[in-house]
Amino acid sequence: MPATILLVEDEPAIQELIAANLTRAGHHVLRAGDAETGQRIVRDALPDLILLDWMLPGMSGVEFAKRLRREERPRTTPPTILPARGEERAKVAAPGAGADDYVTKPFSPRELVARIKAVLRRRAPETTEDAVEIGGLRLDPATHRLAANGNPVNLGPTEFRLLHFLMTHPERVHSRAQLLDQVWGDHVFVEERTVDVHIRRLRSALEPSNHDGLVQTVRGSGYRFSTQQETATTGR
């Protein structure tokens, strides 16, 4: 699935080249020429990933990455890739700055896109287009199709995103607030009971194939996707 990527790069030609390749790969690119602008974008529209240049005017990319890690957000801090010249320099500085990965300049667009996909798969699997198959359900975000035991299941767009997130984080309990942040976005203001409405719609769509029990209620905590039926809490 397309990811929203914040590109912080102060050289216009390089920014344009990278943005063009990321757009060609299907991603939505937000641009900033300095750390201060990038910081405003992060606060206003939390991206799925940040591609952060090492050398920036005013504040270095390393310092910006450190600041991102110190800030508290309703959602987790976006994964960060730190491009730099010199492999040893990047290898040492990137982990210390809190970056999830690094690429050394010069790099090929193909390498960059591959590294972005790898980081997203590790940190935010719901943003990738990889198919997920658990307990007889197969969800393919690339084609926006869901099958239960090989038979197609029709879902609305919100229910599809909700199930995709739950299936890419199996066995983990998510509160209503967390699901709102992750599925609807942390800048969309809707009531928490909205989650309950879409959970009911999702279960209704899964009920004919007897997969509705995989979407479980954990009383007082939230919801989880689990194939361990015996651990489900009553009160669906």
Side-chain angles (χ1 to χ4, degrees), residues 14 17-18 53 83-87 102-112 115:
I14 297 178
L17 177 63
I18 295 176
D53 189 33
R85 296 190 183 279
E87 184 172 358
Y102 68 90
V103 288
T104 54
K105 294 182 176 180
F107 50 81
S108 71
R110 181 178 296 181
E111 177 193 5
L112 179 60
R115 298 290 276 273

Side-chain angles (χ1 to χ4, degrees), residues 52-55 61-62 65 80-107 111 115:
L52 185 59
D53 189 33
W54 178 288
M55 298 299 294
V62 173
T80 305
I81 295 180
L82 188 70
R85 296 190 183 279
E87 184 172 358
E88 283 303 317
R89 185 184 188 191
K91 187 182 296 185
V92 172
D100 297 86
D101 200 357
Y102 68 90
V103 288
T104 54
K105 294 182 176 180
F107 50 81
E111 177 193 5
R115 298 290 276 273

Side-chain angles (χ1 to χ4, degrees), residues 7-121:
L7 170 60
V8 188
E9 169 61 62
D10 64 320
E11 296 187 32
I14 297 178
Q15 185 188 95
E16 183 62 35
L17 177 63
I18 295 176
N21 280 278
L22 294 180
T23 301
R24 194 175 297 118
H27 301 299
H28 175 57
V29 183
L30 306 174
R31 306 191 197 188
D34 55 67
E36 184 178 351
T37 303
Q39 204 161 16
R40 287 200 301 268
I41 293 175
V42 171
R43 289 169 179 165
D44 293 340
L46 189 64
D48 298 307
L49 181 140
I50 300 174
L51 185 60
L52 185 59
D53 189 33
W54 178 288
M55 298 299 294
L56 293 170
M59 182 194 308
S60 71
V62 173
E63 180 57 34
F64 183 27
K66 290 179 179 178
R67 286 195 180 189
L68 286 173
R69 294 303 179 192
R70 291 196 295 265
E71 289 190 2
E72 294 184 0
R73 294 280 300 183
R75 292 171 62 184
T76 57
T77 303
T80 305
I81 295 180
L82 188 70
R85 296 190 183 279
E87 184 172 358
E88 283 303 317
R89 185 184 188 191
K91 187 182 296 185
V92 172
D100 297 86
D101 200 357
Y102 68 90
V103 288
T104 54
K105 294 182 176 180
F107 50 81
S108 71
R110 181 178 296 181
E111 177 193 5
L112 179 60
V113 170
R115 298 290 276 273
I116 286 173
K117 184 175 182 179
V119 170
L120 287 173
R121 186 182 289 115

Side-chain angles (χ1 to χ4, degrees), residues 119-183:
V119 170
L120 287 173
R121 186 182 289 115
R122 293 197 308 268
R123 284 284 306 273
E126 71 278 6
T127 64
T128 70
E129 60 181 13
D130 298 338
V132 190
E133 188 164 1
I134 304 176
L137 288 180
R138 188 179 193 277
L139 185 148
D140 188 344
T143 60
H144 208 274
R145 289 174 176 167
L146 173 68
N149 299 326
N151 299 311
V153 178
N154 293 320
L155 287 182
T158 301
E159 287 74 40
F160 190 91
R161 293 196 307 272
L162 180 59
L163 180 60
H164 187 208
F165 179 77
L166 290 171
M167 288 183 69
T168 52
H169 300 80
E171 306 300 337
R172 292 179 57 181
V173 179
H174 301 276
S175 68
R176 290 169 179 82
Q178 289 172 331
L179 290 173
L180 284 175
D181 287 344
Q182 297 288 352
V183 178

